[in-house]
PDB file of all heavy atoms in Angstrom:
ATOM      1  N   ALA A 918      -1.379  13.126  13.972  1.00  0.00           N
ATOM      2  CA  ALA A 918      -1.963  13.472  12.630  1.00  0.00           C
ATOM      3  C   ALA A 918      -1.163  12.903  11.534  1.00  0.00           C
ATOM      4  O   ALA A 918      -1.754  12.428  10.514  1.00  0.00           O
ATOM      5  CB  ALA A 918      -1.926  15.055  12.592  1.00  0.00           C
ATOM      6  N   LEU A 919       0.196  12.847  11.642  1.00  0.00           N
ATOM      7  CA  LEU A 919       1.019  12.232  10.610  1.00  0.00           C
ATOM      8  C   LEU A 919       0.760  10.747  10.500  1.00  0.00           C
ATOM      9  O   LEU A 919       0.637  10.222   9.441  1.00  0.00           O
ATOM     10  CB  LEU A 919       2.458  12.477  10.847  1.00  0.00           C
ATOM     11  CG  LEU A 919       3.527  12.011   9.848  1.00  0.00           C
ATOM     12  CD1 LEU A 919       3.272  12.768   8.477  1.00  0.00           C
ATOM     13  CD2 LEU A 919       4.834  12.122  10.324  1.00  0.00           C
ATOM     14  N   ILE A 920       0.605  10.091  11.651  1.00  0.00           N
ATOM     15  CA  ILE A 920       0.268   8.717  11.627  1.00  0.00           C
ATOM     16  C   ILE A 920      -1.070   8.420  11.008  1.00  0.00           C
ATOM     17  O   ILE A 920      -1.230   7.444  10.183  1.00  0.00           O
ATOM     18  CB  ILE A 920       0.441   7.962  13.065  1.00  0.00           C
ATOM     19  CG1 ILE A 920       1.707   7.962  13.477  1.00  0.00           C
ATOM     20  CG2 ILE A 920      -0.281   6.623  13.117  1.00  0.00           C
ATOM     21  CD1 ILE A 920       1.856   7.488  15.017  1.00  0.00           C
ATOM     22  N   ALA A 921      -2.020   9.258  11.217  1.00  0.00           N
ATOM     23  CA  ALA A 921      -3.379   9.114  10.733  1.00  0.00           C
ATOM     24  C   ALA A 921      -3.360   9.284   9.257  1.00  0.00           C
ATOM     25  O   ALA A 921      -4.103   8.548   8.570  1.00  0.00           O
ATOM     26  CB  ALA A 921      -4.368  10.151  11.466  1.00  0.00           C
ATOM     27  N   LEU A 922      -2.633  10.372   8.783  1.00  0.00           N
ATOM     28  CA  LEU A 922      -2.538  10.581   7.346  1.00  0.00           C
ATOM     29  C   LEU A 922      -1.922   9.476   6.553  1.00  0.00           C
ATOM     30  O   LEU A 922      -2.379   8.945   5.572  1.00  0.00           O
ATOM     31  CB  LEU A 922      -1.799  11.828   7.044  1.00  0.00           C
ATOM     32  CG  LEU A 922      -2.508  13.175   7.346  1.00  0.00           C
ATOM     33  CD1 LEU A 922      -1.477  14.420   7.085  1.00  0.00           C
ATOM     34  CD2 LEU A 922      -3.661  13.271   6.352  1.00  0.00           C
ATOM     35  N   ILE A 923      -0.749   8.907   7.140  1.00  0.00           N
ATOM     36  CA  ILE A 923      -0.114   7.780   6.383  1.00  0.00           C
ATOM     37  C   ILE A 923      -0.875   6.541   6.454  1.00  0.00           C
ATOM     38  O   ILE A 923      -1.030   5.871   5.427  1.00  0.00           O
ATOM     39  CB  ILE A 923       1.411   7.632   7.073  1.00  0.00           C
ATOM     40  CG1 ILE A 923       2.203   8.813   6.603  1.00  0.00           C
ATOM     41  CG2 ILE A 923       1.926   6.302   6.563  1.00  0.00           C
ATOM     42  CD1 ILE A 923       3.457   8.957   7.438  1.00  0.00           C
ATOM     43  N   GLY A 924      -1.431   6.277   7.649  1.00  0.00           N
ATOM     44  CA  GLY A 924      -2.446   5.084   7.799  1.00  0.00           C
ATOM     45  C   GLY A 924      -3.497   5.128   6.896  1.00  0.00           C
ATOM     46  O   GLY A 924      -3.990   4.183   6.387  1.00  0.00           O
ATOM     47  N   GLY A 925      -4.187   6.399   6.878  1.00  0.00           N
ATOM     48  CA  GLY A 925      -5.290   6.533   6.055  1.00  0.00           C
ATOM     49  C   GLY A 925      -4.951   6.247   4.476  1.00  0.00           C
ATOM     50  O   GLY A 925      -5.774   5.569   3.802  1.00  0.00           O
ATOM     51  N   TYR A 926      -3.823   6.826   4.051  1.00  0.00           N
ATOM     52  CA  TYR A 926      -3.555   6.636   2.691  1.00  0.00           C
ATOM     53  C   TYR A 926      -3.174   5.161   2.334  1.00  0.00           C
ATOM     54  O   TYR A 926      -3.673   4.683   1.284  1.00  0.00           O
ATOM     55  CB  TYR A 926      -2.097   7.529   2.412  1.00  0.00           C
ATOM     56  CG  TYR A 926      -1.527   7.360   1.107  1.00  0.00           C
ATOM     57  CD1 TYR A 926      -2.158   7.840  -0.010  1.00  0.00           C
ATOM     58  CD2 TYR A 926      -0.371   6.467   0.895  1.00  0.00           C
ATOM     59  CE1 TYR A 926      -1.462   7.662  -1.274  1.00  0.00           C
ATOM     60  CE2 TYR A 926       0.129   6.283  -0.257  1.00  0.00           C
ATOM     61  CZ  TYR A 926      -0.403   6.925  -1.376  1.00  0.00           C
ATOM     62  OH  TYR A 926       0.201   6.676  -2.594  1.00  0.00           O
ATOM     63  N   ILE A 927      -2.491   4.573   3.131  1.00  0.00           N
ATOM     64  CA  ILE A 927      -2.122   3.119   2.952  1.00  0.00           C
ATOM     65  C   ILE A 927      -3.500   2.184   2.943  1.00  0.00           C
ATOM     66  O   ILE A 927      -3.632   1.303   2.173  1.00  0.00           O
ATOM     67  CB  ILE A 927      -1.089   2.531   4.032  1.00  0.00           C
ATOM     68  CG1 ILE A 927       0.237   3.270   3.592  1.00  0.00           C
ATOM     69  CG2 ILE A 927      -0.882   1.021   3.818  1.00  0.00           C
ATOM     70  CD1 ILE A 927       1.329   2.994   4.640  1.00  0.00           C
ATOM     71  N   GLY A 928      -4.228   2.514   3.975  1.00  0.00           N
ATOM     72  CA  GLY A 928      -5.526   1.874   4.156  1.00  0.00           C
ATOM     73  C   GLY A 928      -6.458   2.044   2.880  1.00  0.00           C
ATOM     74  O   GLY A 928      -7.066   0.986   2.446  1.00  0.00           O
ATOM     75  N   ILE A 929      -6.676   3.208   2.416  1.00  0.00           N
ATOM     76  CA  ILE A 929      -7.421   3.369   1.166  1.00  0.00           C
ATOM     77  C   ILE A 929      -6.980   2.675  -0.058  1.00  0.00           C
ATOM     78  O   ILE A 929      -7.526   1.993  -0.803  1.00  0.00           O
ATOM     79  CB  ILE A 929      -7.558   4.857   1.022  1.00  0.00           C
ATOM     80  CG1 ILE A 929      -8.489   5.540   2.180  1.00  0.00           C
ATOM     81  CG2 ILE A 929      -8.188   5.181  -0.370  1.00  0.00           C
ATOM     82  CD1 ILE A 929      -8.587   7.043   2.033  1.00  0.00           C
ATOM     83  N   ARG A 930      -5.526   2.794  -0.126  1.00  0.00           N
ATOM     84  CA  ARG A 930      -4.841   2.075  -1.276  1.00  0.00           C
ATOM     85  C   ARG A 930      -5.070   0.627  -1.189  1.00  0.00           C
ATOM     86  O   ARG A 930      -5.370  -0.010  -2.226  1.00  0.00           O
ATOM     87  CB  ARG A 930      -3.510   2.418  -1.423  1.00  0.00           C
ATOM     88  CG  ARG A 930      -3.196   3.907  -1.649  1.00  0.00           C
ATOM     89  CD  ARG A 930      -3.268   4.359  -3.171  1.00  0.00           C
ATOM     90  NE  ARG A 930      -2.685   3.632  -4.068  1.00  0.00           N
ATOM     91  CZ  ARG A 930      -1.514   4.030  -4.701  1.00  0.00           C
ATOM     92  NH1 ARG A 930      -0.972   5.186  -4.404  1.00  0.00           N
ATOM     93  NH2 ARG A 930      -1.161   3.277  -5.674  1.00  0.00           N
ATOM     94  N   ILE A 931      -4.923   0.076  -0.054  1.00  0.00           N
ATOM     95  CA  ILE A 931      -5.053  -1.468   0.090  1.00  0.00           C
ATOM     96  C   ILE A 931      -6.493  -1.797  -0.081  1.00  0.00           C
ATOM     97  O   ILE A 931      -6.829  -2.858  -0.695  1.00  0.00           O
ATOM     98  CB  ILE A 931      -4.608  -1.859   1.461  1.00  0.00           C
ATOM     99  CG1 ILE A 931      -3.036  -1.807   1.524  1.00  0.00           C
ATOM    100  CG2 ILE A 931      -5.067  -3.256   1.771  1.00  0.00           C
ATOM    101  CD1 ILE A 931      -2.373  -2.204   2.854  1.00  0.00           C
ATOM    102  N   ASN A 932      -7.541  -1.057   0.473  1.00  0.00           N
ATOM    103  CA  ASN A 932      -8.914  -1.395   0.261  1.00  0.00           C
ATOM    104  C   ASN A 932      -9.293  -1.311  -1.271  1.00  0.00           C
ATOM    105  O   ASN A 932     -10.182  -2.076  -1.542  1.00  0.00           O
ATOM    106  CB  ASN A 932      -9.756  -0.398   1.136  1.00  0.00           C
ATOM    107  CG  ASN A 932     -11.156  -0.916   1.273  1.00  0.00           C
ATOM    108  OD1 ASN A 932     -11.414  -2.065   1.343  1.00  0.00           O
ATOM    109  ND2 ASN A 932     -12.086   0.131   1.529  1.00  0.00           N
ATOM    110  N   ASN A 933      -8.736  -0.423  -1.911  1.00  0.00           N
ATOM    111  CA  ASN A 933      -9.037  -0.268  -3.397  1.00  0.00           C
ATOM    112  C   ASN A 933      -8.241  -1.317  -4.346  1.00  0.00           C
ATOM    113  O   ASN A 933      -8.318  -1.203  -5.551  1.00  0.00           O
ATOM    114  CB  ASN A 933      -8.901   1.132  -3.874  1.00  0.00           C
ATOM    115  CG  ASN A 933      -9.947   2.067  -3.280  1.00  0.00           C
ATOM    116  OD1 ASN A 933     -10.932   1.710  -2.786  1.00  0.00           O
ATOM    117  ND2 ASN A 933      -9.541   3.407  -3.153  1.00  0.00           N
ATOM    118  N   SER A 934      -7.365  -1.931  -3.712  1.00  0.00           N
ATOM    119  CA  SER A 934      -6.377  -2.909  -4.266  1.00  0.00           C
ATOM    120  C   SER A 934      -5.466  -2.054  -5.417  1.00  0.00           C
ATOM    121  O   SER A 934      -5.159  -2.607  -6.389  1.00  0.00           O
ATOM    122  CB  SER A 934      -7.164  -4.051  -5.096  1.00  0.00           C
ATOM    123  OG  SER A 934      -7.838  -4.827  -4.219  1.00  0.00           O
ATOM    124  N   THR A 935      -5.105  -0.929  -5.120  1.00  0.00           N
ATOM    125  CA  THR A 935      -4.262  -0.218  -5.930  1.00  0.00           C
ATOM    126  C   THR A 935      -2.841   0.085  -5.257  1.00  0.00           C
ATOM    127  O   THR A 935      -1.994   0.900  -5.823  1.00  0.00           O
ATOM    128  CB  THR A 935      -4.838   1.162  -6.192  1.00  0.00           C
ATOM    129  OG1 THR A 935      -5.106   1.945  -5.045  1.00  0.00           O
ATOM    130  CG2 THR A 935      -5.987   1.043  -7.063  1.00  0.00           C
ATOM    131  N   MET A 936      -2.577  -0.574  -4.165  1.00  0.00           N
ATOM    132  CA  MET A 936      -1.254  -0.280  -3.434  1.00  0.00           C
ATOM    133  C   MET A 936      -0.130  -1.105  -4.145  1.00  0.00           C
ATOM    134  O   MET A 936      -0.197  -2.333  -4.238  1.00  0.00           O
ATOM    135  CB  MET A 936      -1.317  -0.842  -1.967  1.00  0.00           C
ATOM    136  CG  MET A 936      -0.237  -0.499  -1.130  1.00  0.00           C
ATOM    137  SD  MET A 936      -0.108   1.211  -0.769  1.00  0.00           S
ATOM    138  CE  MET A 936       1.511   1.300  -0.030  1.00  0.00           C
ATOM    139  N   PRO A 937       0.708  -0.393  -4.689  1.00  0.00           N
ATOM    140  CA  PRO A 937       1.929  -1.049  -5.295  1.00  0.00           C
ATOM    141  C   PRO A 937       2.633  -1.885  -4.313  1.00  0.00           C
ATOM    142  O   PRO A 937       2.982  -1.616  -3.248  1.00  0.00           O
ATOM    143  CB  PRO A 937       2.887   0.091  -5.733  1.00  0.00           C
ATOM    144  CG  PRO A 937       2.190   1.244  -5.587  1.00  0.00           C
ATOM    145  CD  PRO A 937       1.044   1.083  -4.703  1.00  0.00           C
ATOM    146  N   ALA A 938       2.916  -3.100  -4.782  1.00  0.00           N
ATOM    147  CA  ALA A 938       3.522  -4.133  -3.858  1.00  0.00           C
ATOM    148  C   ALA A 938       4.703  -4.926  -4.618  1.00  0.00           C
ATOM    149  O   ALA A 938       4.637  -5.082  -5.814  1.00  0.00           O
ATOM    150  CB  ALA A 938       2.430  -4.980  -3.289  1.00  0.00           C
ATOM    151  N   ARG A 939       5.523  -5.478  -3.765  1.00  0.00           N
ATOM    152  CA  ARG A 939       6.576  -6.383  -4.328  1.00  0.00           C
ATOM    153  C   ARG A 939       6.340  -7.821  -3.673  1.00  0.00           C
ATOM    154  O   ARG A 939       6.069  -7.847  -2.445  1.00  0.00           O
ATOM    155  CB  ARG A 939       7.982  -5.919  -3.918  1.00  0.00           C
ATOM    156  CG  ARG A 939       9.110  -6.684  -4.638  1.00  0.00           C
ATOM    157  CD  ARG A 939      10.327  -5.849  -4.664  1.00  0.00           C
ATOM    158  NE  ARG A 939      10.219  -4.568  -5.246  1.00  0.00           N
ATOM    159  CZ  ARG A 939      10.297  -4.338  -6.563  1.00  0.00           C
ATOM    160  NH1 ARG A 939      10.501  -5.309  -7.383  1.00  0.00           N
ATOM    161  NH2 ARG A 939      10.294  -3.140  -6.964  1.00  0.00           N
ATOM    162  N   CYS A 940       6.303  -8.788  -4.453  1.00  0.00           N
ATOM    163  CA  CYS A 940       5.989 -10.073  -4.067  1.00  0.00           C
ATOM    164  C   CYS A 940       7.111 -10.648  -3.081  1.00  0.00           C
ATOM    165  O   CYS A 940       8.400 -10.459  -3.317  1.00  0.00           O
ATOM    166  CB  CYS A 940       5.887 -11.152  -5.247  1.00  0.00           C
ATOM    167  SG  CYS A 940       5.421 -12.870  -4.799  1.00  0.00           S
ATOM    168  N   ASP A 941       6.773 -11.327  -1.961  1.00  0.00           N
ATOM    169  CA  ASP A 941       7.580 -11.760  -0.901  1.00  0.00           C
ATOM    170  C   ASP A 941       8.316 -13.008  -1.495  1.00  0.00           C
ATOM    171  O   ASP A 941       9.470 -13.341  -1.000  1.00  0.00           O
ATOM    172  CB  ASP A 941       6.990 -12.179   0.241  1.00  0.00           C
ATOM    173  CG  ASP A 941       6.443 -10.921   1.054  1.00  0.00           C
ATOM    174  OD1 ASP A 941       7.328 -10.005   1.465  1.00  0.00           O
ATOM    175  OD2 ASP A 941       5.233 -10.813   1.347  1.00  0.00           O
ATOM    176  N   LEU A 942       7.734 -13.743  -2.423  1.00  0.00           N
ATOM    177  CA  LEU A 942       8.251 -15.021  -2.816  1.00  0.00           C
ATOM    178  C   LEU A 942       9.247 -14.868  -4.056  1.00  0.00           C
ATOM    179  O   LEU A 942      10.308 -15.481  -4.079  1.00  0.00           O
ATOM    180  CB  LEU A 942       7.068 -15.988  -3.236  1.00  0.00           C
ATOM    181  CG  LEU A 942       6.126 -16.231  -2.098  1.00  0.00           C
ATOM    182  CD1 LEU A 942       5.004 -16.967  -2.653  1.00  0.00           C
ATOM    183  CD2 LEU A 942       6.756 -16.935  -0.914  1.00  0.00           C
ATOM    184  N   CYS A 943       8.802 -14.024  -5.150  1.00  0.00           N
ATOM    185  CA  CYS A 943       9.664 -14.022  -6.242  1.00  0.00           C
ATOM    186  C   CYS A 943      10.260 -12.597  -6.498  1.00  0.00           C
ATOM    187  O   CYS A 943      11.210 -12.367  -7.265  1.00  0.00           O
ATOM    188  CB  CYS A 943       8.908 -14.445  -7.542  1.00  0.00           C
ATOM    189  SG  CYS A 943       7.578 -13.297  -7.902  1.00  0.00           S
ATOM    190  N   GLY A 944       9.643 -11.464  -5.841  1.00  0.00           N
ATOM    191  CA  GLY A 944      10.299 -10.216  -6.079  1.00  0.00           C
ATOM    192  C   GLY A 944       9.798  -9.424  -7.103  1.00  0.00           C
ATOM    193  O   GLY A 944      10.176  -8.274  -7.405  1.00  0.00           O
ATOM    194  N   SER A 945       8.731  -9.826  -7.865  1.00  0.00           N
ATOM    195  CA  SER A 945       8.072  -9.101  -8.892  1.00  0.00           C
ATOM    196  C   SER A 945       7.135  -8.193  -8.390  1.00  0.00           C
ATOM    197  O   SER A 945       6.714  -8.213  -7.300  1.00  0.00           O
ATOM    198  CB  SER A 945       7.465 -10.104  -9.909  1.00  0.00           C
ATOM    199  OG  SER A 945       6.361 -10.615  -9.475  1.00  0.00           O
ATOM    200  N   VAL A 946       6.707  -7.177  -9.217  1.00  0.00           N
ATOM    201  CA  VAL A 946       5.876  -6.081  -8.810  1.00  0.00           C
ATOM    202  C   VAL A 946       4.424  -6.622  -9.032  1.00  0.00           C
ATOM    203  O   VAL A 946       4.002  -7.233 -10.021  1.00  0.00           O
ATOM    204  CB  VAL A 946       6.087  -4.785  -9.593  1.00  0.00           C
ATOM    205  CG1 VAL A 946       5.210  -3.789  -9.280  1.00  0.00           C
ATOM    206  CG2 VAL A 946       7.538  -4.393  -9.464  1.00  0.00           C
ATOM    207  N   GLY A 947       3.538  -6.175  -8.012  1.00  0.00           N
ATOM    208  CA  GLY A 947       2.153  -6.402  -8.141  1.00  0.00           C
ATOM    209  C   GLY A 947       1.379  -5.505  -7.378  1.00  0.00           C
ATOM    210  O   GLY A 947       1.827  -4.381  -7.073  1.00  0.00           O
TER     211      GLY A 947
END
């Protein structure tokens, strides 16, 4: 259940393009 909740949260945020991320190349926030 915990894996499903965390996976669902991350999946929804990525699908809506609202997941906070840090660039692998320069390190800035996106």
